[in-house]
Amino acid sequence: MLEVGMRLEVEKVVTENDTAAKAASGAVEVLATPFMIAWMEEASLHLAQKELENGLTTVGTEVNIKHLKGTLVGKTVKIISVLKEIDRKKLVFDVEALEDGVVVGTGTHTRFIIDPVKFFEKLKNTK
């Protein structure tokens, strides 16, 4: 059962494939903002998914993230997602990325609980 305050921490090592230069979001070899955000979304997805009933999942709908500090290739980043709000099918997470205890990214991420079968049927029937 989903509950406010639930938390998930994951660690990711920054590789050359995770850089701004690779993501075409910059020209330097540091963790790209789009990859940091993807890691935050992934942590939030896994946090919610482990508590949902079979057949349900979530989709991301909003990110409000600040990328505060560059992170070099080879460094480990801890991603923390905390469920801060539940409003029916809407889930809001506080998310952070830390390198050696220093916050390098912070913000919120919103996801909605969906039934994938109904979700795709609706998309197919939308003009």
Side-chain angles (χ1 to χ4, degrees), residues 40-119:
M40 291 170 163
E41 286 198 61
E42 179 183 25
S44 301
L45 165 68
H46 290 304
L47 175 57
Q49 194 66 49
K50 68 182 185 173
E51 297 297 329
L52 292 176
E53 64 184 68
N54 287 339
L56 298 180
T57 192
T58 60
V59 291
T61 60
E62 183 178 349
V63 290
N64 183 5
I65 305 297
K66 292 180 182 178
H67 196 165
L68 305 170
K69 181 182 179 296
T71 304
L72 296 171
V73 170
K75 294 291 188 174
T76 299
V77 176
K78 181 188 291 186
I79 306 295
I80 302 171
S81 176
V82 178
L83 183 55
K84 81 169 193 175
E85 179 184 332
I86 303 170
D87 182 4
R88 296 182 302 249
K89 294 184 178 189
K90 177 182 172 183
L91 308 174
V92 180
F93 301 85
D94 282 329
V95 289
E96 275 190 322
L98 299 99
E99 177 197 342
D100 295 328
V102 176
V103 176
V104 298
T106 186
T108 59
H109 173 48
T110 303
R111 303 188 70 79
F112 274 82
I113 300 170
I114 63 156
D115 176 326
V117 174
K118 291 177 182 176
F119 180 80

